[in-house]
Amino acid sequence: MNPLDKAREFRATVNTTVVRARARTHAATLGRPGVLGKVLRTLVTVLAFVLGRSWMLVQATLAWAGRHLPLSVFGLVVAGLLWLGLELSGWPGSTLTGPAIVWALFWSPGLVLGLWAAVAPAAYRRSRLRVWYVRRWLHGTPARWGRKGSEAVGTAAGLGVRQPDGGVLVPGIKVRFAPGAAVLRLNVVVGQTVDDIVRAASRIATAYGAHGHELRPVKPGVVDLVLFLIARLAPRTAVMPAEFAGAASVGVVPAGVRRDGQRLDLIVRGRHTLVVGATGAGKGSVLWSVAGNLAPAVHAGFVRLWGIDLKQGIEVETGRALFGQVAYKTADAVTVLETLVRIMNERGASMRGVSRNHDATPDAPLHVLVIDELADLMAYSEFEHKREAERLLSKLLTQGRALGVVVLGCVQNPRQEALGGTRGLWPQKIALRLDSETETDMVLGTAAPLAPAHDIPADIQPGGVSGTAGTAYLVTEDGTPTLCRFDYWPDRLIHAVAARYPAPAYTDTPAPAPVADAASAWLAAGGHTPARDDAPANPGPTDNGPANDSATSASEHPKRKRSPRKNPRNRRAADATTQAVDGSTGNTSTTEQETNS
Ligand SMILES: Nc1ncnc2c1ncn2[C@@H]1O[C@H](COP(=O)(O)OP(=O)(O)OP(=O)(O)O)[C@@H](O)[C@H]1O
């Protein structure tokens, strides 16, 4: 046997021994049946609890001490000197009590913070205080973040303006911290323009070791330079959307989290959105963040979802009950587009001279068309279908937004052939992980330098939570890029949302797949409405990102025990003869009245 094989054999023997020993120890202790086993398990739980809470106390107190280093060191020195004085003077009582009280007085804010962290660790993790203390402690020396230090960085980065007397004037810089970011407020000095700050921004960001930066104008001559101190955003799992909150909320969806830790509110109303991402980049997360979060409004009749999914309907069929009409074949896709163009034209006729902007109502809902893979329609279909689809889609993209017809299109490849003539017609873009800088340029144009989507690392975990999928740059109409992370939508959540908020029965197009059947099939398969506890955990605000504390959890909205069959709105859908869900289009003559009759 050669030495390599011997080493492998040795390693296998060690592994087996360790596994056996571990199993024996477990069986003899925690896994033990009876009272002793129970006692041991309770002891370990209590110990873990006590150690965990003590660690939170120490962590938070030390974070405070690190942030207020001079004060905390001074407190220690004073307490030490007092102890020394008491010892040397031969104090008759305890020489430790007095110094301990003095030390505790100096450190009292830190101790209070520590106690709070120990009592309510989840709240502490979510709080800005933790971000403030820990970030400040970990990133950069106080001198660099102080006024003088930051102005020195500004000068070195070329922000200074030479004065007639030979001196150099630098913009005043004030630093404040936000979750995951430091914000430098810069006051432009005479002789400077905001462009000078734009030019120096990346040099300043590099000097601070920031992972990215963003410029936000505050008022004339004042700009906030946001330096992002976190490298990536932690994955989050979506939760059951809350009940419909009224017409004002239509078309704005809480889709995930932004780099600054704030909730990402994606505006869908009045905006066509192009989603581009390499395979496995998480286009599904964006699609379901929109469709899933619109579900309550769909159920209430204020939004109507349409789906084109030429990838065999895999994506759209998961939440079929949310959609009115869907198409899984090219010819059906063209029919869906024709229907929407007809709706748009009719709406145009009724709005002409009355209103220039559409407000969603149950009589005139916001129509949202979701297209899963645009290239399948625009590039890989038969020539006539391709040409017709491009013509109809271009019409929707150029005229639809004011008339309440918007499109969310997903594509892997942003090249011309995949998007046809529609590439310049998408006002809002979401660039998930892309394969090359050229693709980033193609999708984002002038915003590309500040939104390097090709730098988002790949982490493909088929069916599981990936470390980076769903991370994207959102570039809104004004060209501002924002790094964000879309929530992950597991299949069972999509099923649960579709069962809870099914679309009403539309008379003008084939009814959604019988909701009761889809829901009960899923329930029969052991499904249950995911609650916060059993969903893949949304991590707390780790150094990688903030917690998912914004959305309403499924556990706060226990699944209603309602059968869609008993709901008169859905009776027609449920009773309808089971129909092919591949987009057979049936009668497509559509008017707003018919739609909602
Ligand atoms: N937001 C997210 N957070 C964590 N993991 C995610 C997220 N979104 C998707 N994933 C993981 O990445 C995998 C791929 O996601 P998805 O299918 O949405 O990618 P895609 O861009 O649609 O890929 P394709 O174009 O090949 O269909 C999913 O199976 C899931 O495991």
Side-chain angles (χ1 to χ4, degrees):
M1 193 186 284
N2 67 32
L4 203 65
D5 287 342
K6 268 190 192 161
R8 276 201 199 113
E9 194 179 308
F10 176 71
R11 207 173 59 190
T13 318
V14 170
N15 279 350
T16 321
T17 315
V18 169
V19 169
R20 278 206 198 120
R22 216 188 272 161
R24 267 200 305 272
T25 317
H26 187 265
T29 53
L30 296 182
R32 211 183 158 97
V35 180
L36 189 59
K38 262 191 200 154
V39 170
L40 283 175
R41 281 193 291 277
T42 314
L43 273 180
V44 168
T45 312
V46 170
L47 196 68
F49 179 82
V50 171
L51 285 180
R53 297 303 168 105
S54 312
W55 167 236
M56 290 307 295
L57 188 141
V58 172
Q59 197 193 42
T61 309
L62 285 183
W64 176 89
R67 170 73 180 83
H68 302 281
L69 205 56
L71 183 67
S72 37
V73 171
F74 184 64
L76 276 177
V77 170
V78 172
L81 287 177
L82 182 62
W83 173 79
L84 202 63
L86 292 176
E87 281 285 325
L88 291 180
S89 66
W91 184 257
S94 159
T95 53
L96 280 179
T97 314
I101 293 173
V102 170
W103 169 79
L105 278 178
F106 275 97
W107 281 48
S108 50
L111 291 170
V112 171
L113 189 72
L115 278 177
W116 177 53
V119 173
Y124 168 70
R125 282 205 194 94
R126 271 200 309 270
S127 74
R128 280 164 181 255
L129 275 175
R130 174 176 183 265
V131 176
W132 163 259
Y133 284 121
V134 178
R135 289 263 179 279
R136 181 66 188 264
W137 195 22
L138 294 180
H139 294 273
T141 59
R144 201 158 31 132
W145 293 110
R147 194 175 61 80
K148 280 203 176 141
S150 55
E151 285 175 10
V153 171
T155 316
L159 264 189
V161 174
R162 193 159 288 282
Q163 299 299 291
D165 62 0
V168 176
L169 194 60
V170 205
I173 302 181
K174 269 192 205 150
V175 185
R176 71 189 157 82
F177 287 84
V183 185
L184 271 56
R185 177 152 294 182
L186 299 150
N187 288 285
V188 177
V189 294
V190 177
Q192 226 172 21
T193 67
V194 173
D195 283 347
D196 295 320
I197 297 197
V198 174
R199 273 195 291 276
S202 50
R203 284 193 286 267
I204 299 177
T206 311
Y208 279 100
H211 293 282
H213 66 279
E214 208 174 280
L215 277 164
R216 296 182 189 152
V218 179
K219 58 183 180 182
V222 182
V223 184
D224 274 352
L225 172 60
V226 186
L227 303 178
F228 297 109
L229 304 177
I230 50 174
R232 61 196 191 114
L233 293 161
R236 303 166 18 121
T237 302
V239 290
M240 177 68 74
E243 294 287 339
F244 181 58
S249 64
V250 170
V252 183
V253 292
V257 67
R258 298 191 322 210
R259 174 145 61 175
D260 58 7
Q262 303 296 312
R263 191 173 77 179
L264 169 68
D265 282 328
L266 184 70
I267 302 178
V268 185
R269 180 184 53 215
R271 289 186 192 177
H272 304 297
T273 309
L274 178 65
V275 184
V276 190
T279 180
K283 292 182 289 299
S285 296
V286 183
L287 191 152
W288 287 111
S289 290
V290 171
N293 281 306
L294 283 176
V298 169
H299 189 59
F302 282 75
V303 172
R304 181 163 169 179
L305 283 178
W306 304 68
I308 295 180
D309 183 357
L310 302 187
K311 278 164 52 182
Q312 314 293 329
I314 299 283
E315 200 72 54
V316 165
E317 191 61 23
T318 316
R320 175 67 179 89
L322 298 174
F323 291 81
Q325 192 174 344
V326 298
Y328 304 154
K329 290 182 183 153
T330 320
D332 299 329
V334 173
T335 315
V336 165
L337 290 170
E338 275 169 1
T339 311
L340 275 168
V341 168
R342 191 177 313 128
I343 289 176
M344 184 180 78
N345 290 340
E346 286 167 4
R347 191 169 278 175
S350 64
M351 281 173 61
R352 197 171 303 128
V354 180
S355 165
R356 288 192 303 165
N357 273 314
H358 170 258
D359 285 324
T361 63
D363 286 334
L366 171 70
H367 291 275
V368 180
L369 168 64
V370 174
I371 307 178
D372 185 28
E373 181 49 76
L374 267 166
D376 282 329
L377 184 63
M378 311 293 283
Y380 314 137
S381 7
E382 305 80 46
F383 181 70
E384 310 82 64
H385 288 145
K386 200 158 64 178
R387 207 180 45 181
E388 188 58 0
E390 185 176 334
R391 186 183 73 80
L392 293 165
L393 186 59
S394 301
K395 271 192 166 222
L396 290 177
L397 293 177
T398 46
Q399 301 174 26
R401 54 196 254 145
L403 299 170
V405 181
V406 293
V407 185
L408 176 95
C410 304
V411 71
Q412 277 185 10
N413 175 352
R415 281 159 217 281
Q416 184 70 30
E417 57 276 16
L419 293 172
T422 68
R423 205 163 77 194
L425 302 179
W426 305 85
Q428 180 161 265
K429 288 158 196 132
I430 295 170
L432 292 142
R433 174 175 53 78
L434 292 174
D435 284 335
S436 66
E437 202 172 339
T438 320
E439 290 191 356
T440 309
D441 278 342
M442 274 181 211
V443 184
L444 302 181
T446 50
L450 285 180
H454 51 277
D455 282 347
I456 298 172
D459 178 30
I460 300 175
Q461 307 278 344
V465 178
S466 141
T468 56
T471 307
Y473 285 95
L474 163 69
V475 178
T476 45
E477 272 176 303
D478 60 5
T480 321
T482 309
L483 183 75
C484 51
R485 180 128 198 200
F486 285 83
D487 291 344
Y488 176 51
W489 281 73
D491 286 0
R492 63 202 170 99
L493 176 63
I494 301 171
H495 287 308
V497 171
R500 181 161 170 189
Y501 298 113
Y506 304 113
T507 51
D508 53 344
T509 52
V515 170
D517 293 353
S520 49
W522 166 68
L523 285 168
H528 61 284
T529 304
R532 209 187 270 282
D533 290 348
D534 69 348
N538 292 326
T542 62
D543 289 350
N544 284 335
N548 182 5
D549 55 349
S550 52
T552 315
S553 81
S555 51
E556 290 162 53
H557 293 275
K559 188 155 61 71
R560 270 187 282 160
K561 288 237 174 0
R562 61 194 280 283
S563 158
R565 280 185 193 281
K566 293 198 183 112
N567 181 347
R569 300 184 77 173
N570 303 316
R571 190 170 298 142
R572 220 164 331 127
D575 291 344
T577 325
T578 309
Q579 24 195 326
V581 287
D582 63 353
S584 53
T585 48
N587 169 21
T588 55
S589 81
T590 309
T591 63
E592 297 291 346
Q593 287 74 22
E594 276 177 321
T595 305
N596 298 288
S597 62

